[in-house]
Amino acid sequence: MRRISITGMAIGCLLALSACEQTAKPEAAAIEPTTPATTSSTTTAPAKRVVTETRPIPYRTTKVNDPALPAGTTKVSRRGARGVMTFTYEVALANGAETGRRLLRRTVTKAPVTRVISIGTKQARQCDPNYTGACVPIAGDVDCDGGSGNGPAYVQGPVRIVGSDIYDLDRDGDGIACDT
């Protein structure tokens, strides 16, 4: 029984094939001149092309302490700049469509520039609030600059006394210290 059904299917297929051949014969004559060109292009190796792409490289940021800047302030000392990375690929093409790619090389075309931010560390001078006109530092002993005192801190006058003269800078008692 199986044999009959296979034979029956084989006969049906043969009949269908002969019917297909009969209807395809007129078209086959029209296609024949172009068939060799189509066949030769599909049997050749896939086309290859070299392609380059670029991608940005982000810059880094570095922070450095700067004793010349007042404490708590920041300043951009050097602006950052993105770099460029160039990728070169070998791309395989079949019928104009990409079928694969292989990385040939990766090159830094332009190196990124690191951004530098300076952070101030300079301590503000602390001045004694008993004096104005010049900053009289808060210290164990303050003397007038150019005078006979031995410091350790000095002030260049003239300095007006607005509170008590704790460092005895106003020797003549006129309210103005370091004026001679």
mmCIF file of all heavy atoms in Angstrom, residues 58-100:
data_model
loop_
_atom_site.group_PDB
_atom_site.id
_atom_site.type_symbol
_atom_site.label_atom_id
_atom_site.label_comp_id
_atom_site.label_asym_id
_atom_site.label_seq_id
_atom_site.Cartn_x
_atom_site.Cartn_y
_atom_site.Cartn_z
ATOM 1 N N PRO A 58 36.045 60.595 25.023
ATOM 2 C CA PRO A 58 35.781 61.630 26.031
ATOM 3 C C PRO A 58 37.068 62.035 26.751
ATOM 4 O O PRO A 58 37.988 61.240 26.876
ATOM 5 C CB PRO A 58 34.794 60.958 26.990
ATOM 6 C CG PRO A 58 34.967 59.499 26.770
ATOM 7 C CD PRO A 58 35.467 59.303 25.368
ATOM 8 N N TYR A 59 37.100 63.284 27.191
ATOM 9 C CA TYR A 59 38.261 63.741 27.950
ATOM 10 C C TYR A 59 38.051 63.493 29.433
ATOM 11 O O TYR A 59 36.938 63.357 29.893
ATOM 12 C CB TYR A 59 38.571 65.218 27.697
ATOM 13 C CG TYR A 59 37.478 66.182 28.064
ATOM 14 C CD1 TYR A 59 37.334 66.647 29.364
ATOM 15 C CD2 TYR A 59 36.581 66.643 27.103
ATOM 16 C CE1 TYR A 59 36.332 67.530 29.698
ATOM 17 C CE2 TYR A 59 35.582 67.533 27.432
ATOM 18 C CZ TYR A 59 35.461 67.980 28.720
ATOM 19 O OH TYR A 59 34.475 68.857 29.052
ATOM 20 N N ARG A 60 39.165 63.407 30.162
ATOM 21 C CA ARG A 60 39.115 63.215 31.599
ATOM 22 C C ARG A 60 39.254 64.564 32.289
ATOM 23 O O ARG A 60 39.703 65.534 31.689
ATOM 24 C CB ARG A 60 40.249 62.303 32.065
ATOM 25 C CG ARG A 60 40.141 60.903 31.497
ATOM 26 C CD ARG A 60 41.227 60.003 31.999
ATOM 27 N NE ARG A 60 42.473 60.745 32.178
ATOM 28 C CZ ARG A 60 43.589 60.245 32.655
ATOM 29 N NH1 ARG A 60 43.633 58.992 32.987
ATOM 30 N NH2 ARG A 60 44.666 60.973 32.788
ATOM 31 N N THR A 61 38.894 64.612 33.568
ATOM 32 C CA THR A 61 39.021 65.817 34.370
ATOM 33 C C THR A 61 39.924 65.514 35.560
ATOM 34 O O THR A 61 39.728 64.516 36.237
ATOM 35 C CB THR A 61 37.647 66.303 34.859
ATOM 36 O OG1 THR A 61 36.835 66.588 33.719
ATOM 37 C CG2 THR A 61 37.767 67.544 35.710
ATOM 38 N N THR A 62 40.894 66.382 35.773
ATOM 39 C CA THR A 62 41.809 66.254 36.899
ATOM 40 C C THR A 62 41.688 67.498 37.766
ATOM 41 O O THR A 62 41.591 68.608 37.242
ATOM 42 C CB THR A 62 43.269 66.124 36.407
ATOM 43 O OG1 THR A 62 43.356 65.004 35.537
ATOM 44 C CG2 THR A 62 44.224 65.947 37.558
ATOM 45 N N LYS A 63 41.701 67.306 39.085
ATOM 46 C CA LYS A 63 41.655 68.428 40.021
ATOM 47 C C LYS A 63 43.000 68.524 40.722
ATOM 48 O O LYS A 63 43.544 67.515 41.161
ATOM 49 C CB LYS A 63 40.530 68.235 41.029
ATOM 50 C CG LYS A 63 39.157 68.258 40.381
ATOM 51 C CD LYS A 63 38.063 68.057 41.386
ATOM 52 C CE LYS A 63 36.704 68.078 40.688
ATOM 53 N NZ LYS A 63 35.609 67.891 41.628
ATOM 54 N N VAL A 64 43.522 69.771 40.795
ATOM 55 C CA VAL A 64 44.802 69.997 41.466
ATOM 56 C C VAL A 64 44.645 71.130 42.472
ATOM 57 O O VAL A 64 43.862 72.061 42.262
ATOM 58 C CB VAL A 64 45.926 70.343 40.458
ATOM 59 C CG1 VAL A 64 46.208 69.176 39.529
ATOM 60 C CG2 VAL A 64 45.600 71.576 39.659
ATOM 61 N N ASN A 65 45.378 71.036 43.574
ATOM 62 C CA ASN A 65 45.377 72.102 44.577
ATOM 63 C C ASN A 65 46.240 73.251 44.085
ATOM 64 O O ASN A 65 47.317 73.037 43.534
ATOM 65 C CB ASN A 65 45.888 71.592 45.916
ATOM 66 C CG ASN A 65 44.930 70.614 46.546
ATOM 67 O OD1 ASN A 65 43.731 70.663 46.303
ATOM 68 N ND2 ASN A 65 45.453 69.720 47.359
ATOM 69 N N ASP A 66 45.760 74.490 44.300
ATOM 70 C CA ASP A 66 46.481 75.680 43.875
ATOM 71 C C ASP A 66 46.602 76.631 45.060
ATOM 72 O O ASP A 66 45.622 77.250 45.467
ATOM 73 C CB ASP A 66 45.745 76.353 42.717
ATOM 74 C CG ASP A 66 46.529 77.502 42.108
ATOM 75 O OD1 ASP A 66 47.543 77.926 42.692
ATOM 76 O OD2 ASP A 66 46.124 77.980 41.034
ATOM 77 N N PRO A 67 47.808 76.774 45.623
ATOM 78 C CA PRO A 67 47.982 77.647 46.777
ATOM 79 C C PRO A 67 47.872 79.131 46.442
ATOM 80 O O PRO A 67 47.796 79.962 47.346
ATOM 81 C CB PRO A 67 49.378 77.292 47.293
ATOM 82 C CG PRO A 67 50.080 76.714 46.124
ATOM 83 C CD PRO A 67 49.025 76.068 45.278
ATOM 84 N N ALA A 68 47.839 79.491 45.168
ATOM 85 C CA ALA A 68 47.710 80.896 44.790
ATOM 86 C C ALA A 68 46.247 81.351 44.781
ATOM 87 O O ALA A 68 45.974 82.548 44.830
ATOM 88 C CB ALA A 68 48.330 81.126 43.418
ATOM 89 N N LEU A 69 45.305 80.414 44.710
ATOM 90 C CA LEU A 69 43.878 80.755 44.717
ATOM 91 C C LEU A 69 43.345 80.732 46.143
ATOM 92 O O LEU A 69 43.726 79.870 46.928
ATOM 93 C CB LEU A 69 43.080 79.753 43.882
ATOM 94 C CG LEU A 69 43.194 79.816 42.371
ATOM 95 C CD1 LEU A 69 42.408 78.676 41.735
ATOM 96 C CD2 LEU A 69 42.696 81.143 41.849
ATOM 97 N N PRO A 70 42.436 81.647 46.460
ATOM 98 C CA PRO A 70 41.831 81.622 47.802
ATOM 99 C C PRO A 70 41.085 80.313 48.040
ATOM 100 O O PRO A 70 40.512 79.724 47.120
ATOM 101 C CB PRO A 70 40.858 82.802 47.783
ATOM 102 C CG PRO A 70 41.320 83.680 46.671
ATOM 103 C CD PRO A 70 41.984 82.788 45.666
ATOM 104 N N ALA A 71 41.105 79.859 49.274
ATOM 105 C CA ALA A 71 40.441 78.607 49.644
ATOM 106 C C ALA A 71 38.957 78.672 49.286
ATOM 107 O O ALA A 71 38.304 79.702 49.466
ATOM 108 C CB ALA A 71 40.616 78.335 51.125
ATOM 109 N N GLY A 72 38.431 77.567 48.760
ATOM 110 C CA GLY A 72 37.018 77.480 48.408
ATOM 111 C C GLY A 72 36.695 77.930 46.992
ATOM 112 O O GLY A 72 35.558 77.806 46.544
ATOM 113 N N THR A 73 37.665 78.434 46.243
ATOM 114 C CA THR A 73 37.407 78.855 44.861
ATOM 115 C C THR A 73 37.979 77.819 43.904
ATOM 116 O O THR A 73 38.937 77.112 44.228
ATOM 117 C CB THR A 73 38.032 80.231 44.558
ATOM 118 O OG1 THR A 73 39.445 80.154 44.728
ATOM 119 C CG2 THR A 73 37.465 81.314 45.448
ATOM 120 N N THR A 74 37.376 77.740 42.731
ATOM 121 C CA THR A 74 37.865 76.842 41.687
ATOM 122 C C THR A 74 38.027 77.631 40.397
ATOM 123 O O THR A 74 37.368 78.644 40.185
ATOM 124 C CB THR A 74 36.909 75.658 41.450
ATOM 125 O OG1 THR A 74 35.640 76.167 41.056
ATOM 126 C CG2 THR A 74 36.786 74.782 42.675
ATOM 127 N N LYS A 75 38.897 77.115 39.543
ATOM 128 C CA LYS A 75 39.161 77.773 38.268
ATOM 129 C C LYS A 75 39.569 76.694 37.268
ATOM 130 O O LYS A 75 40.344 75.801 37.602
ATOM 131 C CB LYS A 75 40.278 78.798 38.444
ATOM 132 C CG LYS A 75 40.747 79.462 37.196
ATOM 133 C CD LYS A 75 41.903 80.406 37.515
ATOM 134 C CE LYS A 75 42.788 80.579 36.310
ATOM 135 N NZ LYS A 75 43.986 81.342 36.614
ATOM 136 N N VAL A 76 39.047 76.774 36.047
ATOM 137 C CA VAL A 76 39.458 75.839 34.999
ATOM 138 C C VAL A 76 40.788 76.337 34.456
ATOM 139 O O VAL A 76 40.856 77.381 33.814
ATOM 140 C CB VAL A 76 38.400 75.738 33.878
ATOM 141 C CG1 VAL A 76 38.896 74.834 32.759
ATOM 142 C CG2 VAL A 76 37.090 75.227 34.426
ATOM 143 N N SER A 77 41.853 75.605 34.749
ATOM 144 C CA SER A 77 43.195 75.993 34.301
ATOM 145 C C SER A 77 43.445 75.588 32.861
ATOM 146 O O SER A 77 44.160 76.270 32.143
ATOM 147 C CB SER A 77 44.262 75.354 35.185
ATOM 148 O OG SER A 77 44.110 75.784 36.512
ATOM 149 N N ARG A 78 42.878 74.460 32.446
ATOM 150 C CA ARG A 78 43.014 74.012 31.063
ATOM 151 C C ARG A 78 41.700 73.378 30.646
ATOM 152 O O ARG A 78 41.180 72.491 31.312
ATOM 153 C CB ARG A 78 44.156 72.998 30.925
ATOM 154 C CG ARG A 78 44.356 72.573 29.476
ATOM 155 C CD ARG A 78 45.553 71.691 29.268
ATOM 156 N NE ARG A 78 45.436 70.482 30.079
ATOM 157 C CZ ARG A 78 46.459 69.699 30.350
ATOM 158 N NH1 ARG A 78 47.658 69.975 29.917
ATOM 159 N NH2 ARG A 78 46.269 68.619 31.077
ATOM 160 N N ARG A 79 41.191 73.843 29.523
ATOM 161 C CA ARG A 79 39.938 73.280 29.003
ATOM 162 C C ARG A 79 40.194 71.897 28.420
ATOM 163 O O ARG A 79 41.226 71.657 27.819
ATOM 164 C CB ARG A 79 39.369 74.188 27.914
ATOM 165 C CG ARG A 79 38.917 75.528 28.447
ATOM 166 C CD ARG A 79 38.403 76.404 27.358
ATOM 167 N NE ARG A 79 37.380 75.686 26.605
ATOM 168 C CZ ARG A 79 36.440 76.253 25.905
ATOM 169 N NH1 ARG A 79 36.364 77.540 25.840
ATOM 170 N NH2 ARG A 79 35.557 75.537 25.255
ATOM 171 N N GLY A 80 39.237 71.022 28.594
ATOM 172 C CA GLY A 80 39.345 69.684 28.028
ATOM 173 C C GLY A 80 38.862 69.670 26.583
ATOM 174 O O GLY A 80 38.078 70.524 26.170
ATOM 175 N N ALA A 81 39.347 68.714 25.824
ATOM 176 C CA ALA A 81 38.919 68.552 24.434
ATOM 177 C C ALA A 81 38.793 67.064 24.129
ATOM 178 O O ALA A 81 39.652 66.267 24.533
ATOM 179 C CB ALA A 81 39.915 69.202 23.480
ATOM 180 N N ARG A 82 37.687 66.713 23.440
ATOM 181 C CA ARG A 82 37.494 65.311 23.067
ATOM 182 C C ARG A 82 38.512 64.911 22.009
ATOM 183 O O ARG A 82 38.934 65.713 21.196
ATOM 184 C CB ARG A 82 36.089 65.099 22.509
ATOM 185 C CG ARG A 82 35.019 65.234 23.533
ATOM 186 C CD ARG A 82 33.677 64.811 23.046
ATOM 187 N NE ARG A 82 33.351 65.397 21.747
ATOM 188 C CZ ARG A 82 32.209 65.257 21.140
ATOM 189 N NH1 ARG A 82 31.256 64.550 21.686
ATOM 190 N NH2 ARG A 82 31.986 65.803 19.977
ATOM 191 N N GLY A 83 38.871 63.642 22.030
ATOM 192 C CA GLY A 83 39.757 63.093 21.018
ATOM 193 C C GLY A 83 38.948 62.352 19.969
ATOM 194 O O GLY A 83 37.712 62.320 20.017
ATOM 195 N N VAL A 84 39.646 61.748 19.015
ATOM 196 C CA VAL A 84 38.980 61.001 17.944
ATOM 197 C C VAL A 84 39.692 59.665 17.759
ATOM 198 O O VAL A 84 40.920 59.619 17.666
ATOM 199 C CB VAL A 84 39.002 61.793 16.617
ATOM 200 C CG1 VAL A 84 38.378 60.978 15.484
ATOM 201 C CG2 VAL A 84 38.298 63.122 16.766
ATOM 202 N N MET A 85 38.912 58.593 17.720
ATOM 203 C CA MET A 85 39.411 57.243 17.458
ATOM 204 C C MET A 85 38.889 56.837 16.082
ATOM 205 O O MET A 85 37.696 56.977 15.801
ATOM 206 C CB MET A 85 38.907 56.271 18.524
ATOM 207 C CG MET A 85 39.307 54.833 18.309
ATOM 208 S SD MET A 85 40.955 54.450 18.837
ATOM 209 C CE MET A 85 40.780 54.534 20.583
ATOM 210 N N THR A 86 39.792 56.339 15.215
ATOM 211 C CA THR A 86 39.411 55.903 13.877
ATOM 212 C C THR A 86 39.489 54.380 13.807
ATOM 213 O O THR A 86 40.514 53.796 14.162
ATOM 214 C CB THR A 86 40.326 56.532 12.807
ATOM 215 O OG1 THR A 86 40.235 57.952 12.915
ATOM 216 C CG2 THR A 86 39.908 56.105 11.410
ATOM 217 N N PHE A 87 38.402 53.763 13.379
ATOM 218 C CA PHE A 87 38.320 52.314 13.218
ATOM 219 C C PHE A 87 38.308 52.005 11.720
ATOM 220 O O PHE A 87 37.548 52.621 10.967
ATOM 221 C CB PHE A 87 37.039 51.762 13.847
ATOM 222 C CG PHE A 87 36.989 51.920 15.333
ATOM 223 C CD1 PHE A 87 36.497 53.075 15.909
ATOM 224 C CD2 PHE A 87 37.435 50.909 16.164
ATOM 225 C CE1 PHE A 87 36.452 53.228 17.276
ATOM 226 C CE2 PHE A 87 37.393 51.053 17.540
ATOM 227 C CZ PHE A 87 36.906 52.215 18.096
ATOM 228 N N THR A 88 39.122 51.042 11.300
ATOM 229 C CA THR A 88 39.156 50.621 9.899
ATOM 230 C C THR A 88 38.684 49.175 9.836
ATOM 231 O O THR A 88 39.237 48.309 10.520
ATOM 232 C CB THR A 88 40.575 50.748 9.321
ATOM 233 O OG1 THR A 88 41.027 52.086 9.501
ATOM 234 C CG2 THR A 88 40.589 50.401 7.842
ATOM 235 N N TYR A 89 37.634 48.940 9.039
ATOM 236 C CA TYR A 89 37.027 47.618 8.915
ATOM 237 C C TYR A 89 37.134 47.120 7.481
ATOM 238 O O TYR A 89 37.130 47.904 6.531
ATOM 239 C CB TYR A 89 35.534 47.664 9.257
ATOM 240 C CG TYR A 89 35.214 48.043 10.671
ATOM 241 C CD1 TYR A 89 34.851 49.350 10.997
ATOM 242 C CD2 TYR A 89 35.246 47.104 11.686
ATOM 243 C CE1 TYR A 89 34.539 49.705 12.295
ATOM 244 C CE2 TYR A 89 34.936 47.437 12.990
ATOM 245 C CZ TYR A 89 34.585 48.740 13.289
ATOM 246 O OH TYR A 89 34.277 49.088 14.567
ATOM 247 N N GLU A 90 37.176 45.784 7.338
ATOM 248 C CA GLU A 90 36.997 45.149 6.050
ATOM 249 C C GLU A 90 35.557 44.633 6.058
ATOM 250 O O GLU A 90 35.194 43.808 6.899
ATOM 251 C CB GLU A 90 37.973 43.998 5.870
ATOM 252 C CG GLU A 90 37.814 43.299 4.536
ATOM 253 C CD GLU A 90 38.783 42.138 4.421
ATOM 254 O OE1 GLU A 90 38.589 41.147 5.143
ATOM 255 O OE2 GLU A 90 39.719 42.244 3.616
ATOM 256 N N VAL A 91 34.750 45.126 5.132
ATOM 257 C CA VAL A 91 33.334 44.800 5.090
ATOM 258 C C VAL A 91 33.083 43.864 3.914
ATOM 259 O O VAL A 91 33.490 44.147 2.780
ATOM 260 C CB VAL A 91 32.473 46.086 4.946
ATOM 261 C CG1 VAL A 91 31.007 45.739 4.830
ATOM 262 C CG2 VAL A 91 32.724 47.013 6.116
ATOM 263 N N ALA A 92 32.425 42.749 4.188
ATOM 264 C CA ALA A 92 32.043 41.799 3.132
ATOM 265 C C ALA A 92 30.640 42.146 2.662
ATOM 266 O O ALA A 92 29.752 42.393 3.474
ATOM 267 C CB ALA A 92 32.089 40.371 3.667
ATOM 268 N N LEU A 93 30.465 42.162 1.334
ATOM 269 C CA LEU A 93 29.180 42.505 0.737
ATOM 270 C C LEU A 93 28.706 41.375 -0.159
ATOM 271 O O LEU A 93 29.502 40.753 -0.855
ATOM 272 C CB LEU A 93 29.300 43.781 -0.104
ATOM 273 C CG LEU A 93 29.779 45.032 0.621
ATOM 274 C CD1 LEU A 93 30.087 46.129 -0.377
ATOM 275 C CD2 LEU A 93 28.717 45.488 1.589
ATOM 276 N N ALA A 94 27.417 41.119 -0.127
ATOM 277 C CA ALA A 94 26.790 40.167 -1.042
ATOM 278 C C ALA A 94 25.543 40.847 -1.592
ATOM 279 O O ALA A 94 24.660 41.238 -0.826
ATOM 280 C CB ALA A 94 26.431 38.878 -0.332
ATOM 281 N N ASN A 95 25.511 41.006 -2.908
ATOM 282 C CA ASN A 95 24.389 41.685 -3.582
ATOM 283 C C ASN A 95 24.161 43.085 -3.002
ATOM 284 O O ASN A 95 23.050 43.529 -2.803
ATOM 285 C CB ASN A 95 23.105 40.855 -3.500
ATOM 286 C CG ASN A 95 23.230 39.525 -4.222
ATOM 287 O OD1 ASN A 95 23.945 39.442 -5.229
ATOM 288 N ND2 ASN A 95 22.565 38.507 -3.722
ATOM 289 N N GLY A 96 25.255 43.765 -2.659
ATOM 290 C CA GLY A 96 25.162 45.135 -2.157
ATOM 291 C C GLY A 96 24.840 45.265 -0.679
ATOM 292 O O GLY A 96 24.834 46.352 -0.146
ATOM 293 N N ALA A 97 24.567 44.161 0.004
ATOM 294 C CA ALA A 97 24.228 44.209 1.430
ATOM 295 C C ALA A 97 25.423 43.703 2.251
ATOM 296 O O ALA A 97 26.113 42.767 1.846
ATOM 297 C CB ALA A 97 23.007 43.351 1.717
ATOM 298 N N GLU A 98 25.638 44.331 3.389
ATOM 299 C CA GLU A 98 26.731 43.933 4.267
ATOM 300 C C GLU A 98 26.413 42.589 4.904
ATOM 301 O O GLU A 98 25.364 42.394 5.485
ATOM 302 C CB GLU A 98 26.938 44.996 5.359
ATOM 303 C CG GLU A 98 28.085 44.692 6.268
ATOM 304 C CD GLU A 98 28.320 45.774 7.319
ATOM 305 O OE1 GLU A 98 28.123 46.969 7.027
ATOM 306 O OE2 GLU A 98 28.693 45.406 8.438
ATOM 307 N N THR A 99 27.382 41.670 4.795
ATOM 308 C CA THR A 99 27.185 40.350 5.388
ATOM 309 C C THR A 99 28.130 40.096 6.556
ATOM 310 O O THR A 99 27.941 39.147 7.303
ATOM 311 C CB THR A 99 27.385 39.245 4.336
ATOM 312 O OG1 THR A 99 28.710 39.358 3.800
ATOM 313 C CG2 THR A 99 26.353 39.342 3.236
ATOM 314 N N GLY A 100 29.138 40.932 6.715
ATOM 315 C CA GLY A 100 30.059 40.766 7.828
ATOM 316 C C GLY A 100 31.109 41.855 7.809
ATOM 317 O O GLY A 100 31.308 42.532 6.799
#
